[in-house]
Amino acid sequence: MAPAGLNMESISPLTLNRLSVYLRALRQLDEEGAKRISSREMANRFHLSAAQIRKDLAQFGELGIRGVGYEVAPLRHKLEDQLGLWREHRAVIVGAGNIGSALAQFPGLNSEHFRVVGLFDIDPGRIGAQVGRMKVRPSGDLAQIVRDHKVELGILAVPAEAAQENYDAMAEAGIRAVLNFAPVYLREKPEARVKNVDLMIFVEELAHHLG
Amino acid sequence: MAPAGLNMESISPLTLNRLSVYLRALRQLDEEGAKRISSREMANRFHLSAAQIRKDLAQFGELGIRGVGYEVAPLRHKLEDQLGLWREHRAVIVGAGNIGSALAQFPGLNSEHFRVVGLFDIDPGRIGAQVGRMKVRPSGDLAQIVRDHKVELGILAVPAEAAQENYDAMAEAGIRAVLNFAPVYLREKPEARVKNVDLMIFVEELAHHLG
DNA sequence: GATTGTGAATAGATTCACAGCT
DNA sequence: AGCTGTGAATCTATTCACAATC
């Protein structure tokens, strides 16, 4: 009997990130029409560890069938649930520069699970510009859009020096989670969790190996 | 006596990524005119762990002064050296869609340490388009540009289904390291190291916490 | 016979706490 | 007096290896 909802332990961040990887693999398998997959097959195919797949998945109950493997579609949906993808999340992007504009049109953020409902900037030269299917709005309209569309997710794509004030404004408007692309440490408020994404960390990791 | 160059141990990936974080902090301190900083001050200011800063830095010799702290400018340069930033690295970007075009104009990739020397696409509708200071070139010109500019770093910003063939072409052309933004597992060649960046992992991590 | 789920073993990372310098 | 560098202790993550199950 799988103790479905009563898991006290929170998922470790490393495991959580792997769930996203497994989910991507399962979606591909599902599209290919695969009905079942063993941890070994999945590990070989997507360059993962079979033991780790099993340990990670076992946290959510007995999801597999001994002697057989995992059923692709049900496992996919289980992982989507764990990742909060059982409902649509609305997002706004603040900063309509290159990165912000690219993210506004990013397929993953305009999918079944996420929807970008606003792209904001403070620069009058950008306000009103068409970016994909959206028009850039003045940052002053943020709070109203967040309220009207029940936005939970904010994406910060402003210069470093403007990041803290825009984060504060997002938190104030009721946003619950922020993905920060500005290369700066944000003083975090309890109501709005921050996840930093620093692209230079990836580039510098490669540069180190180049020597 | 610090055994400067004879470090046999390779740096762990977690430590390596923190070096980028420390470097960013040190640059800011340097610009502010700070001459010295203690691990404690740095930890408080940038929300890090003092013991971890010391452990990480101690790998590269006795960089600090007991009773005093670290000298900002020399430490900054030591970390830049460790991260391979003592010389300029040339990069090309393949895929001139939203993400590729944004990265072509990303300040970190057009800095003292990195330079984007080419932006490529296969779509005739994009070839010739002006993106920042660059014109989009046909992917067929990749090998020549890589050779002429001694390019070491490739950035893959093509759709998932085109990623493997473009990675192979990069490796073939002589590129040594690839930052892959396509959400797909690449069969890696020994001559061209891959670092995957999947933006959906970050978004889904936040979505999980939103529940 | 095959594969999961899992306790035990191993490996790796972080934090503690203090000796050693300045 | 204050801060680094570091061994020891702790905590976390991964891998192994096999009993349980289909």
Side-chain angles (χ1 to χ4, degrees):
Chain A
M1 205 92 303
L6 48 82
N7 191 1
M8 293 300 100
E9 306 268 326
S10 73
I11 307 171
S12 94
L14 288 166
T15 302
L16 186 52
N17 289 349
R18 282 194 299 267
L19 295 188
S20 289
V21 174
Y22 302 157
L23 177 54
R24 198 171 72 197
L26 288 163
R27 282 175 173 152
Q28 187 179 327
L29 291 164
D30 206 1
E31 274 166 28
E32 290 170 6
K35 290 283 167 272
R36 289 175 166 173
I37 185 94
S38 70
S39 58
R40 161 114 57 119
E41 251 178 285
M42 193 158 144
N44 287 342
R45 179 114 188 244
F46 300 98
H47 199 230
L48 305 167
S49 144
Q52 193 158 63
I53 291 170
R54 295 200 300 277
K55 255 273 202 283
D56 286 340
L57 296 181
Q59 294 182 62
F60 311 116
E62 303 225 348
L63 268 43
I65 308 160
R66 291 175 194 224
V68 177
Y70 298 88
E71 300 209 54
V72 173
L75 182 55
R76 169 187 173 165
H77 292 117
K78 184 77 183 180
L79 293 188
E80 286 179 343
D81 286 355
Q82 276 299 329
L83 291 170
L85 307 182
W86 50 279
R87 62 190 174 85
E88 185 188 80
H89 296 280
R90 258 87 54 169
V92 290
I93 298 173
V94 178
N98 297 309
I99 300 279
S101 299
L103 291 171
Q105 301 170 79
F106 184 62
L109 289 175
N110 296 281
S111 65
E112 191 187 343
H113 304 292
F114 296 94
R115 190 150 53 92
V116 177
V117 298
L119 172 61
F120 298 86
D121 208 296
I122 201 176
D123 177 356
R126 281 180 183 156
I127 293 167
Q130 194 74 29
V131 172
R133 60 174 173 75
M134 272 187 306
K135 265 203 165 57
V136 179
R137 299 168 186 271
S139 296
D141 294 359
L142 180 69
Q144 188 216 318
I145 297 289
V146 168
R147 190 171 358 97
D148 291 356
H149 289 84
K150 302 195 193 329
V151 171
E152 297 169 285
L153 184 62
I155 297 175
L156 250 189
V158 300
E161 60 274 17
Q164 185 70 53
E165 59 183 309
N166 280 292
Y167 166 72
D168 292 346
M170 283 178 169
E172 174 69 25
I175 285 174
R176 306 289 318 287
V178 173
L179 197 59
N180 174 37
F181 284 82
V184 72
Y185 163 62
L186 296 177
R187 284 184 309 280
E188 203 167 339
K189 292 168 189 291
E191 65 269 26
R193 180 186 287 262
V194 173
K195 174 76 193 175
N196 293 301
V197 180
D198 186 342
L199 296 177
M200 288 316 288
I201 290 180
F202 301 115
V203 175
E204 286 170 359
E205 183 178 333
L206 287 175
H208 164 82
H209 294 296
L210 292 171
Chain B
M1 204 92 303
L6 48 79
N7 192 1
M8 292 302 98
E9 305 270 325
S10 73
I11 307 172
S12 94
L14 288 166
T15 301
L16 186 53
N17 289 349
R18 283 194 299 268
L19 295 188
S20 289
V21 174
Y22 302 157
L23 177 55
R24 199 172 72 197
L26 288 164
R27 282 174 173 152
Q28 187 179 328
L29 290 164
D30 206 1
E31 274 166 29
E32 290 170 6
K35 291 283 169 270
R36 289 175 165 172
I37 186 94
S38 71
S39 58
R40 162 113 57 118
E41 251 177 284
M42 194 160 144
N44 288 341
R45 178 112 189 247
F46 299 99
H47 198 229
L48 306 166
S49 143
Q52 193 159 60
I53 291 171
R54 294 201 300 277
K55 254 278 201 278
D56 286 341
L57 296 180
Q59 294 182 61
F60 311 116
E62 303 223 351
L63 268 41
I65 308 160
R66 292 177 193 221
V68 177
Y70 298 88
E71 300 208 52
V72 172
L75 182 55
R76 168 187 173 164
H77 292 115
K78 185 76 183 183
L79 293 188
E80 286 179 344
D81 286 355
Q82 277 299 330
L83 291 170
L85 307 182
W86 51 277
R87 61 189 175 84
E88 185 188 80
H89 297 279
R90 257 87 55 168
V92 291
I93 299 172
V94 178
N98 296 310
I99 300 280
S101 299
L103 291 171
Q105 300 170 79
F106 184 61
L109 289 175
N110 296 281
S111 66
E112 191 187 343
H113 304 292
F114 296 94
R115 189 151 52 93
V116 177
V117 299
L119 172 61
F120 298 86
D121 208 296
I122 202 174
D123 176 357
R126 280 180 183 157
I127 293 167
Q130 194 74 30
V131 173
R133 60 175 173 73
M134 271 186 308
K135 266 203 164 57
V136 178
R137 299 167 185 270
S139 296
D141 293 0
L142 180 70
Q144 187 215 319
I145 296 288
V146 168
R147 191 172 356 97
D148 292 355
H149 289 86
K150 302 194 193 331
V151 171
E152 297 170 284
L153 183 62
I155 296 175
L156 250 190
V158 300
E161 60 273 17
Q164 184 70 52
E165 59 183 308
N166 280 292
Y167 166 73
D168 292 345
M170 283 179 168
E172 175 69 25
I175 285 174
R176 306 290 316 287
V178 173
L179 196 60
N180 173 37
F181 284 82
V184 71
Y185 163 63
L186 296 177
R187 284 185 308 281
E188 201 166 338
K189 292 169 188 291
E191 65 270 26
R193 178 187 288 262
V194 173
K195 174 76 194 176
N196 294 301
V197 180
D198 186 342
L199 296 177
M200 287 317 288
I201 290 180
F202 302 115
V203 176
E204 286 170 0
E205 182 178 334
L206 287 175
H208 163 81
H209 293 296
L210 292 171

